[in-house]
Structure formats: C-alpha cells, structure tokens
Amino acid sequence: MIVNWLLTRRCNRHCPFCGLVNDSKADCYKKIQEVNDRELPIETTLETLACMNEVYPKDSLFHIFYGGEPFIKERFDVFMKAVNDMDIQYTVITNSVLLDEVIRVFK
C-alpha cells in the first residue's frame, strides 16, 4: 500500500506548473503560505507512522513524503531521523534546491 504524506504546503520555489504554489495566483499563494500554522505537528505524524507499523507489516507499506518542499518543514531533520529509525520503506519528493544542505540527514 502506498501512503502519501503532505508534510507542508510551504515551498522555496514558485514553479508555474505546481498545483500547490503558483505565482500567477498571488492571493492563493499567500493563503497557502499561511497554512503552515495548521500543519500536522511532526510528533503527530510520527505517532501515526508508528501505529501504521503496528497494524500493517512494514514491507506492505511504502511512504511518500512530499509538499510544497518537505525539506523546509520545521524540524524535518528530527522527523527523518525518526523515520530512518523505524526502518520503513519511503521516498521524499523534493525540488532538490536544498539537497546539499540536508544531505547529512540521510547519512
């Protein structure tokens, strides 16, 4: 089973093709940026992941973490370290702009 996790709607780019962030709709973009206050806390996401691991065999789940840009999610490094400790199958969809800065998380 594939589980999609929209970690944040915030992004460090304004790609015209993106459905979450679009410069041609400035009012919508501003509203999306304000959504950050309503994002699911990291702890809640990790608790949900842990519960899923108890209910389903680990090898039956594949998690996709995406956004906006997941690397700008507050405490993303803490989140990824916890995810790695869970030994689950996952991928992170990113625009890679910040990849050099966060590559240490995946070591």
Side-chain angles (χ1 to χ4, degrees):
M1 174 172 36
I2 296 173
V3 184
N4 293 295
W5 298 88
L6 177 62
L7 297 179
T8 182
R9 290 183 179 272
R10 293 183 301 126
C11 189
N12 56 344
R13 305 290 294 174
H14 304 93
C15 304
F17 54 82
C18 181
L20 289 175
V21 179
N22 189 327
D23 274 346
S24 66
K25 298 178 182 174
D27 289 339
C28 291
Y29 178 70
K30 183 179 177 184
K31 289 177 185 175
I32 289 169
Q33 293 300 333
E34 293 168 359
V35 167
N36 186 44
D37 291 338
R38 295 178 288 175
E39 288 179 359
L40 207 57
I42 294 273
E43 292 78 15
T44 304
T45 306
L46 290 172
E47 289 170 11
T48 305
L49 276 166
C51 287
M52 292 181 80
N53 286 336
E54 290 179 21
V55 173
Y56 299 99
K58 285 183 183 181
D59 61 352
S60 71
L61 297 174
F62 186 81
H63 301 273
I64 300 173
F65 302 112
Y66 72 105
E69 173 52 53
F71 288 149
I72 63 174
K73 171 81 173 164
E74 290 179 13
R75 301 177 52 228
F76 185 75
D77 57 336
V78 172
F79 175 74
M80 287 312 304
K81 285 177 184 172
V83 166
N84 284 331
D85 289 345
M86 289 182 188
D87 192 32
I88 62 174
Q89 299 177 73
Y90 71 90
T91 190
V92 178
I93 298 176
T94 175
N95 61 27
S96 299
V97 171
L98 302 172
L99 199 55
D100 288 340
E101 295 174 34
V102 297
I103 197 72
R104 65 178 161 67
V105 172
F106 296 99
K107 288 185 178 182

